[in-house]
Amino acid sequence: DRGLLGLVLDPDYANNGYLYVLYNIDPVFGEPDEDSDSITWGRLTRYTVVGNQADLGSRLVLLGATAADGVPSCHNSHSIGTLAFGADGSLFVGSGDGAHYDFTDGGQNVTSFDPDCEATFGAAADHGALRSQTFDTLAGKILRIDPATGLGYTDNPWYDGVDPSSVESRTWVIGMRNPYRFTVRPLQPGQTGPGSLYIGDVGWGTWEELDVAHGGENFGWPCFEGDDPQGSYQSNPNTSAF
């Protein structure tokens, strides 16, 4: 769950050659015995393909040039996943909660798997699975961004009106656990906009969740899976902050 997990061609690829890749970086690259649980983050990069090769000089990082602008991954799963273009040319980016999957992870070094999470991403991002319910990080969401700039659109549901690079401005839906794969339903006659998302959100111990999103939804994780309350998260000492 921590490699190059998303790849998509630009809708105008035949003319511009743009290739988008979504992957987790290796912050200690070159260490063969690196712990697979080490802290990392998701990055979105665009390359221009010339002939049958990507031009490395064309590299443009749209998200995740630094830890502060990436998708936190504090365990070896629930990182990033799908890239998909909307019908209007906007780019959707899937991100998991970056939390531990074996136990209730409320962050704040209460149940957090790795205290280095706070050291890497800051205290505001150290909420474990509760990142899905905050706008402190890009984790636990599906983003909708401009593929030319990585910025959010003014018609995104939480656009903040001031900073198009903010988490709010880039977010399409929240409350996701690990929306590893999703697809965009084509527009029907008379419809406009990016289209509807059909999302497979990987479940915890009992449920797998299928969500349909039009923008602005909160799908409840980690306090709910579907309509099923997750008591261990609802009673977590950090939940009251949200």
Side-chain angles (χ1 to χ4, degrees), residues 1-5 23-29 34-43 64 66-80 96-99 114 116-121 125 131 137 139:
D1 284 2
R2 297 180 105 189
L4 191 158
L5 299 178
Y23 56 97
N24 289 290
I25 71 158
D26 186 347
V28 287
F29 180 74
E34 177 188 348
D35 184 354
S36 63
D37 293 332
S38 62
I39 300 299
T40 185
W41 63 87
R43 176 178 289 169
T66 65
D69 190 49
V71 178
S73 181
C74 296
H75 188 48
N76 60 13
S77 185
H78 299 190
S79 56
I80 38 81
D97 63 14
D114 194 330
D116 290 339
C117 184
E118 179 177 339
T120 302
F121 302 108
R131 282 185 283 266
T137 79

CSV table of all heavy atoms in Angstrom, one decimal, residues 1-5 23-29 34-43 64 66-80 96-99 114 116-121 125 131 137 139:
chain,number,residue,atom,x,y,z
A,1,ASP,N,0.8,-1.2,0.0
A,1,ASP,CA,0.0,0.0,0.0
A,1,ASP,C,0.8,1.3,0.0
A,1,ASP,O,0.3,2.3,0.3
A,1,ASP,CB,-0.9,0.0,1.2
A,1,ASP,CG,-2.1,-0.9,1.1
A,1,ASP,OD1,-2.2,-1.6,0.1
A,1,ASP,OD2,-2.9,-0.9,2.0
A,2,ARG,N,2.1,1.2,-0.2
A,2,ARG,CA,3.0,2.4,-0.1
A,2,ARG,C,3.9,2.5,-1.3
A,2,ARG,O,5.1,2.8,-1.1
A,2,ARG,CB,3.8,2.3,1.2
A,2,ARG,CG,2.9,2.4,2.4
A,2,ARG,CD,3.7,2.3,3.7
A,2,ARG,NE,3.8,3.6,4.3
A,2,ARG,CZ,4.6,3.9,5.3
A,2,ARG,NH1,5.4,3.0,5.8
A,2,ARG,NH2,4.6,5.1,5.8
A,3,GLY,N,3.4,2.2,-2.5
A,3,GLY,CA,4.3,2.4,-3.7
A,3,GLY,C,3.7,3.4,-4.6
A,3,GLY,O,3.0,4.4,-4.1
A,4,LEU,N,3.9,3.2,-5.9
A,4,LEU,CA,3.2,4.1,-6.9
A,4,LEU,C,1.8,3.4,-7.1
A,4,LEU,O,1.7,2.4,-7.8
A,4,LEU,CB,4.0,4.1,-8.2
A,4,LEU,CG,3.6,5.2,-9.2
A,4,LEU,CD1,4.8,5.5,-10.1
A,4,LEU,CD2,2.4,4.7,-10.0
A,5,LEU,N,0.8,4.1,-6.6
A,5,LEU,CA,-0.5,3.5,-6.6
A,5,LEU,C,-1.5,4.1,-7.5
A,5,LEU,O,-2.6,3.6,-7.7
A,5,LEU,CB,-1.1,3.5,-5.1
A,5,LEU,CG,-0.2,2.7,-4.1
A,5,LEU,CD1,-0.8,2.8,-2.7
A,5,LEU,CD2,-0.1,1.3,-4.5
A,23,TYR,N,2.2,8.6,-5.6
A,23,TYR,CA,3.1,7.6,-5.0
A,23,TYR,C,3.5,8.1,-3.6
A,23,TYR,O,3.4,9.3,-3.3
A,23,TYR,CB,4.3,7.4,-5.8
A,23,TYR,CG,5.1,8.6,-6.2
A,23,TYR,CD1,6.2,9.0,-5.4
A,23,TYR,CD2,4.7,9.5,-7.2
A,23,TYR,CE1,6.9,10.1,-5.7
A,23,TYR,CE2,5.4,10.6,-7.5
A,23,TYR,CZ,6.5,10.9,-6.8
A,23,TYR,OH,7.2,12.1,-7.1
A,24,ASN,N,4.1,7.2,-2.8
A,24,ASN,CA,4.7,7.6,-1.5
A,24,ASN,C,6.2,7.7,-1.7
A,24,ASN,O,6.8,6.9,-2.4
A,24,ASN,CB,4.4,6.5,-0.5
A,24,ASN,CG,3.0,6.5,-0.1
A,24,ASN,OD1,2.5,7.4,0.6
A,24,ASN,ND2,2.2,5.5,-0.4
A,25,ILE,N,6.7,8.8,-1.2
A,25,ILE,CA,8.2,9.0,-1.3
A,25,ILE,C,8.9,8.1,-0.3
A,25,ILE,O,8.3,7.5,0.6
A,25,ILE,CB,8.6,10.4,-1.1
A,25,ILE,CG1,8.4,10.8,0.4
A,25,ILE,CG2,7.8,11.3,-2.0
A,25,ILE,CD1,9.3,12.0,0.8
A,26,ASP,N,10.2,7.9,-0.5
A,26,ASP,CA,11.1,7.2,0.4
A,26,ASP,C,12.0,8.2,1.1
A,26,ASP,O,13.0,8.6,0.5
A,26,ASP,CB,11.9,6.1,-0.4
A,26,ASP,CG,12.7,5.2,0.6
A,26,ASP,OD1,12.8,5.5,1.8
A,26,ASP,OD2,13.2,4.2,0.1
A,27,PRO,N,11.7,8.6,2.3
A,27,PRO,CA,12.4,9.6,2.9
A,27,PRO,C,13.9,9.2,3.3
A,27,PRO,O,14.7,10.1,3.6
A,27,PRO,CB,11.6,10.0,4.2
A,27,PRO,CG,10.8,8.8,4.5
A,27,PRO,CD,10.5,8.1,3.1
A,28,VAL,N,14.1,7.9,3.4
A,28,VAL,CA,15.5,7.4,3.6
A,28,VAL,C,15.9,6.5,2.5
A,28,VAL,O,16.4,5.4,2.7
A,28,VAL,CB,15.6,6.7,5.0
A,28,VAL,CG1,15.5,7.7,6.1
A,28,VAL,CG2,14.5,5.7,5.2
A,29,PHE,N,15.8,7.0,1.3
A,29,PHE,CA,16.1,6.2,0.1
A,29,PHE,C,17.5,5.7,0.2
A,29,PHE,O,18.4,6.4,0.5
A,29,PHE,CB,15.9,7.1,-1.1
A,29,PHE,CG,16.2,6.3,-2.4
A,29,PHE,CD1,15.3,5.4,-2.9
A,29,PHE,CD2,17.3,6.6,-3.1
A,29,PHE,CE1,15.6,4.7,-4.1
A,29,PHE,CE2,17.6,5.9,-4.3
A,29,PHE,CZ,16.7,5.0,-4.8
A,34,GLU,N,15.4,-0.6,5.5
A,34,GLU,CA,14.4,0.4,6.0
A,34,GLU,C,13.2,-0.3,6.5
A,34,GLU,O,12.6,-1.2,5.9
A,34,GLU,CB,14.1,1.3,4.9
A,34,GLU,CG,13.0,2.4,5.3
A,34,GLU,CD,12.6,3.2,4.1
A,34,GLU,OE1,13.2,3.1,3.0
A,34,GLU,OE2,11.6,3.9,4.3
A,35,ASP,N,12.7,0.1,7.6
A,35,ASP,CA,11.5,-0.4,8.3
A,35,ASP,C,10.3,0.0,7.4
A,35,ASP,O,10.1,1.2,7.1
A,35,ASP,CB,11.4,0.2,9.7
A,35,ASP,CG,10.2,-0.3,10.4
A,35,ASP,OD1,9.4,-1.1,9.8
A,35,ASP,OD2,10.0,0.0,11.6
A,36,SER,N,9.5,-0.9,7.0
A,36,SER,CA,8.3,-0.6,6.2
A,36,SER,C,7.3,0.2,6.9
A,36,SER,O,6.4,0.8,6.3
A,36,SER,CB,7.6,-1.9,5.7
A,36,SER,OG,7.1,-2.7,6.8
A,37,ASP,N,7.4,0.3,8.2
A,37,ASP,CA,6.4,1.2,9.0
A,37,ASP,C,6.9,2.6,9.1
A,37,ASP,O,6.3,3.4,9.8
A,37,ASP,CB,6.2,0.6,10.4
A,37,ASP,CG,5.5,-0.7,10.3
A,37,ASP,OD1,4.8,-1.0,9.4
A,37,ASP,OD2,5.7,-1.6,11.2
A,38,SER,N,8.0,3.0,8.5
A,38,SER,CA,8.6,4.3,8.7
A,38,SER,C,7.6,5.4,8.1
A,38,SER,O,6.8,5.1,7.3
A,38,SER,CB,9.9,4.4,8.0
A,38,SER,OG,9.8,4.2,6.6
A,39,ILE,N,7.8,6.6,8.7
A,39,ILE,CA,6.9,7.7,8.3
A,39,ILE,C,7.2,8.1,6.9
A,39,ILE,O,8.4,8.2,6.4
A,39,ILE,CB,7.2,8.9,9.2
A,39,ILE,CG1,6.8,8.5,10.7
A,39,ILE,CG2,6.4,10.1,8.8
A,39,ILE,CD1,5.4,8.0,10.9
A,40,THR,N,6.2,8.4,6.1
A,40,THR,CA,6.4,8.9,4.7
A,40,THR,C,5.1,9.7,4.4
A,40,THR,O,4.3,9.9,5.2
A,40,THR,CB,6.6,7.7,3.7
A,40,THR,OG1,6.8,8.3,2.4
A,40,THR,CG2,5.4,6.8,3.6
A,41,TRP,N,5.1,10.2,3.1
A,41,TRP,CA,3.9,10.9,2.7
A,41,TRP,C,3.7,10.7,1.2
A,41,TRP,O,4.6,10.3,0.5
A,41,TRP,CB,4.0,12.4,3.0
A,41,TRP,CG,5.1,13.2,2.4
A,41,TRP,CD1,5.1,13.8,1.2
A,41,TRP,CD2,6.4,13.4,2.9
A,41,TRP,NE1,6.3,14.4,0.9
A,41,TRP,CE2,7.1,14.2,2.0
A,41,TRP,CE3,7.1,13.1,4.1
A,41,TRP,CZ2,8.4,14.7,2.2
A,41,TRP,CZ3,8.3,13.5,4.3
A,41,TRP,CH2,9.0,14.3,3.4
A,42,GLY,N,2.4,11.0,0.8
A,42,GLY,CA,2.1,10.8,-0.6
A,42,GLY,C,2.4,12.1,-1.4
A,42,GLY,O,2.2,13.2,-0.9
A,43,ARG,N,2.8,11.8,-2.6
A,43,ARG,CA,3.2,12.9,-3.5
A,43,ARG,C,2.5,12.7,-4.9
A,43,ARG,O,2.4,11.6,-5.4
A,43,ARG,CB,4.7,13.0,-3.7
A,43,ARG,CG,5.2,14.0,-4.7
A,43,ARG,CD,6.7,14.0,-4.7
A,43,ARG,NE,7.3,14.6,-3.5
A,43,ARG,CZ,8.6,14.5,-3.2
A,43,ARG,NH1,9.4,13.9,-3.9
A,43,ARG,NH2,9.0,15.1,-2.0
A,64,GLY,N,2.7,17.5,-2.2
A,64,GLY,CA,3.6,16.7,-1.5
A,64,GLY,C,5.1,17.0,-1.7
A,64,GLY,O,5.9,16.1,-1.5
A,66,THR,N,6.8,18.8,0.1
A,66,THR,CA,7.3,18.7,1.5
A,66,THR,C,6.2,17.9,2.3
A,66,THR,O,5.1,17.7,1.8
A,66,THR,CB,7.5,20.0,2.1
A,66,THR,OG1,6.2,20.7,2.2
A,66,THR,CG2,8.4,20.9,1.3
A,67,ALA,N,6.6,17.4,3.5
A,67,ALA,CA,5.7,16.7,4.4
A,67,ALA,C,4.5,17.5,4.6
A,67,ALA,O,3.4,17.0,4.7
A,67,ALA,CB,6.4,16.3,5.7
A,68,ALA,N,4.6,18.8,4.8
A,68,ALA,CA,3.5,19.7,5.2
A,68,ALA,C,2.4,19.7,4.1
A,68,ALA,O,1.2,19.9,4.4
A,68,ALA,CB,4.0,21.1,5.5
A,69,ASP,N,2.8,19.5,2.8
A,69,ASP,CA,1.9,19.5,1.7
A,69,ASP,C,1.6,18.2,1.1
A,69,ASP,O,1.0,18.1,0.1
A,69,ASP,CB,2.5,20.4,0.6
A,69,ASP,CG,1.5,20.7,-0.5
A,69,ASP,OD1,0.4,21.2,-0.2
A,69,ASP,OD2,1.9,20.5,-1.7
A,70,GLY,N,2.0,17.1,1.8
A,70,GLY,CA,1.7,15.8,1.4
A,70,GLY,C,0.6,15.1,2.1
A,70,GLY,O,0.0,15.7,3.0
A,71,VAL,N,0.3,13.8,1.8
A,71,VAL,CA,-0.7,13.0,2.5
A,71,VAL,C,0.1,12.2,3.5
A,71,VAL,O,0.8,11.3,3.2
A,71,VAL,CB,-1.4,12.1,1.5
A,71,VAL,CG1,-2.4,11.2,2.3
A,71,VAL,CG2,-2.1,12.9,0.4
A,72,PRO,N,-0.1,12.5,4.8
A,72,PRO,CA,0.6,11.7,5.9
A,72,PRO,C,0.3,10.2,5.8
A,72,PRO,O,-0.8,9.8,5.6
A,72,PRO,CB,0.0,12.3,7.2
A,72,PRO,CG,-0.5,13.7,6.8
A,72,PRO,CD,-1.0,13.5,5.4
A,73,SER,N,1.4,9.5,6.0
A,73,SER,CA,1.3,8.0,6.1
A,73,SER,C,2.1,7.6,7.3
A,73,SER,O,3.4,7.5,7.2
A,73,SER,CB,1.8,7.4,4.8
A,73,SER,OG,1.7,6.0,4.9
A,74,CYS,N,1.5,7.3,8.4
A,74,CYS,CA,2.1,7.0,9.7
A,74,CYS,C,2.1,5.5,10.0
A,74,CYS,O,2.4,5.1,11.1
A,74,CYS,CB,1.5,7.8,10.8
A,74,CYS,SG,1.7,9.6,10.6
A,75,HIS,N,1.6,4.7,9.1
A,75,HIS,CA,1.6,3.3,9.2
A,75,HIS,C,1.8,2.7,7.7
A,75,HIS,O,1.7,3.5,6.8
A,75,HIS,CB,0.4,2.7,9.9
A,75,HIS,CG,0.5,1.3,10.2
A,75,HIS,ND1,1.6,0.7,10.7
A,75,HIS,CD2,-0.4,0.3,10.0
A,75,HIS,CE1,1.4,-0.6,10.9
A,75,HIS,NE2,0.2,-0.9,10.4
A,76,ASN,N,1.9,1.4,7.6
A,76,ASN,CA,2.2,0.9,6.3
A,76,ASN,C,1.0,0.6,5.4
A,76,ASN,O,1.1,-0.2,4.5
A,76,ASN,CB,3.1,-0.4,6.4
A,76,ASN,CG,2.4,-1.5,7.2
A,76,ASN,OD1,1.2,-1.4,7.4
A,76,ASN,ND2,3.1,-2.5,7.6
A,77,SER,N,0.0,1.3,5.6
A,77,SER,CA,-1.2,1.2,4.7
A,77,SER,C,-2.0,2.5,4.8
A,77,SER,O,-1.5,3.5,5.4
A,77,SER,CB,-2.1,0.0,5.2
A,77,SER,OG,-3.2,-0.2,4.3
A,78,HIS,N,-3.2,2.5,4.1
A,78,HIS,CA,-4.1,3.7,4.2
A,78,HIS,C,-3.3,5.0,3.8
A,78,HIS,O,-3.4,6.0,4.4
A,78,HIS,CB,-4.6,3.9,5.6
A,78,HIS,CG,-5.4,2.7,6.1
A,78,HIS,ND1,-6.2,2.8,7.2
A,78,HIS,CD2,-5.6,1.5,5.6
A,78,HIS,CE1,-6.8,1.7,7.4
A,78,HIS,NE2,-6.5,0.9,6.4
A,79,SER,N,-2.6,4.9,2.7
A,79,SER,CA,-1.9,6.1,2.2
A,79,SER,C,-2.7,6.7,1.1
A,79,SER,O,-3.7,7.4,1.3
A,79,SER,CB,-0.5,5.7,1.8
A,79,SER,OG,-0.5,4.6,0.8
A,80,ILE,N,-2.2,6.6,-0.2
A,80,ILE,CA,-2.9,7.2,-1.3
A,80,ILE,C,-3.4,6.0,-2.2
A,80,ILE,O,-3.4,4.9,-1.8
A,80,ILE,CB,-1.9,8.1,-2.1
A,80,ILE,CG1,-0.5,7.5,-2.2
A,80,ILE,CG2,-1.8,9.4,-1.4
A,80,ILE,CD1,-0.3,6.5,-3.2
A,96,GLY,N,-5.9,8.0,2.0
A,96,GLY,CA,-6.4,7.3,3.2
A,96,GLY,C,-6.0,8.1,4.5
A,96,GLY,O,-5.4,9.2,4.4
A,97,ASP,N,-6.4,7.5,5.6
A,97,ASP,CA,-6.2,8.3,6.9
A,97,ASP,C,-4.8,8.2,7.4
A,97,ASP,O,-4.4,8.9,8.4
A,97,ASP,CB,-7.2,7.8,8.0
A,97,ASP,CG,-7.1,6.3,8.4
A,97,ASP,OD1,-6.0,5.7,8.0
A,97,ASP,OD2,-8.0,5.8,9.0
A,98,GLY,N,-4.0,7.3,6.9
A,98,GLY,CA,-2.6,7.2,7.3
A,98,GLY,C,-2.4,6.6,8.7
A,98,GLY,O,-1.3,6.8,9.3
A,99,ALA,N,-3.4,5.9,9.2
A,99,ALA,CA,-3.4,5.5,10.6
A,99,ALA,C,-3.2,4.0,10.7
A,99,ALA,O,-3.2,3.3,9.7
A,99,ALA,CB,-4.7,5.9,11.3
A,114,ASP,N,3.3,5.4,16.0
A,114,ASP,CA,4.7,5.9,15.8
A,114,ASP,C,4.7,7.4,16.2
A,114,ASP,O,4.1,8.3,15.6
A,114,ASP,CB,5.1,5.8,14.4
A,114,ASP,CG,6.6,6.0,14.3
A,114,ASP,OD1,7.2,6.8,15.1
A,114,ASP,OD2,7.3,5.4,13.4
A,116,ASP,N,6.9,9.5,15.9
A,116,ASP,CA,7.5,10.3,14.8
A,116,ASP,C,6.5,11.0,13.9
A,116,ASP,O,6.9,11.9,13.2
A,116,ASP,CB,8.5,9.4,14.0
A,116,ASP,CG,9.7,9.0,14.8
A,116,ASP,OD1,10.0,9.6,15.8
A,116,ASP,OD2,10.3,8.0,14.4
A,117,CYS,N,5.3,10.5,13.9
A,117,CYS,CA,4.2,11.2,13.1
A,117,CYS,C,4.1,12.7,13.5
A,117,CYS,O,4.1,13.5,12.6
A,117,CYS,CB,2.9,10.5,13.3
A,117,CYS,SG,1.6,11.1,12.3
A,118,GLU,N,4.0,13.0,14.7
A,118,GLU,CA,4.0,14.4,15.2
A,118,GLU,C,5.2,15.1,14.8
A,118,GLU,O,5.2,16.3,14.3
A,118,GLU,CB,3.7,14.5,16.7
A,118,GLU,CG,3.6,15.9,17.1
A,118,GLU,CD,3.3,16.0,18.6
A,118,GLU,OE1,2.8,15.1,19.2
A,118,GLU,OE2,3.6,17.1,19.2
A,119,ALA,N,6.4,14.5,14.9
A,119,ALA,CA,7.6,15.2,14.6
A,119,ALA,C,7.7,15.5,13.2
A,119,ALA,O,8.3,16.5,12.8
A,119,ALA,CB,8.8,14.3,15.0
A,120,THR,N,7.1,14.7,12.3
A,120,THR,CA,7.2,14.9,10.8
A,120,THR,C,6.2,15.9,10.3
A,120,THR,O,6.5,16.7,9.5
A,120,THR,CB,7.1,13.5,10.1
A,120,THR,OG1,8.1,12.6,10.5
A,120,THR,CG2,7.2,13.8,8.6
A,121,PHE,N,4.9,15.7,10.8
A,121,PHE,CA,3.8,16.5,10.2
A,121,PHE,C,3.3,17.6,11.2
A,121,PHE,O,2.5,18.4,10.7
A,121,PHE,CB,2.7,15.5,9.9
A,121,PHE,CG,3.1,14.5,8.9
A,121,PHE,CD1,3.2,13.1,9.3
A,121,PHE,CD2,3.4,14.8,7.6
A,121,PHE,CE1,3.6,12.2,8.4
A,121,PHE,CE2,3.8,13.8,6.7
A,121,PHE,CZ,3.9,12.5,7.1
A,125,ALA,N,-1.4,17.6,12.9
A,125,ALA,CA,-1.7,16.4,12.0
A,125,ALA,C,-1.7,15.1,12.8
A,125,ALA,O,-2.0,14.1,12.2
A,125,ALA,CB,-0.7,16.4,10.9
A,131,ARG,N,-7.8,12.1,11.5
A,131,ARG,CA,-7.4,13.0,10.5
A,131,ARG,C,-8.5,13.1,9.4
A,131,ARG,O,-8.6,14.2,8.7
A,131,ARG,CB,-6.1,12.6,9.8
A,131,ARG,CG,-4.8,13.0,10.6
A,131,ARG,CD,-3.6,12.6,9.8
A,131,ARG,NE,-3.4,11.1,9.9
A,131,ARG,CZ,-2.6,10.5,10.8
A,131,ARG,NH1,-1.9,11.3,11.7
A,131,ARG,NH2,-2.4,9.2,10.7
A,137,THR,N,-5.0,18.1,7.7
A,137,THR,CA,-4.1,17.5,6.7
A,137,THR,C,-5.0,17.0,5.5
A,137,THR,O,-6.2,17.1,5.6
A,137,THR,CB,-3.4,16.2,7.3
A,137,THR,OG1,-4.4,15.1,7.3
A,137,THR,CG2,-2.9,16.4,8.7
A,139,ALA,N,-5.2,14.0,4.6
A,139,ALA,CA,-5.5,12.5,4.8
A,139,ALA,C,-6.9,12.3,5.0
A,139,ALA,O,-7.7,13.1,5.6
A,139,ALA,CB,-4.7,12.0,6.0
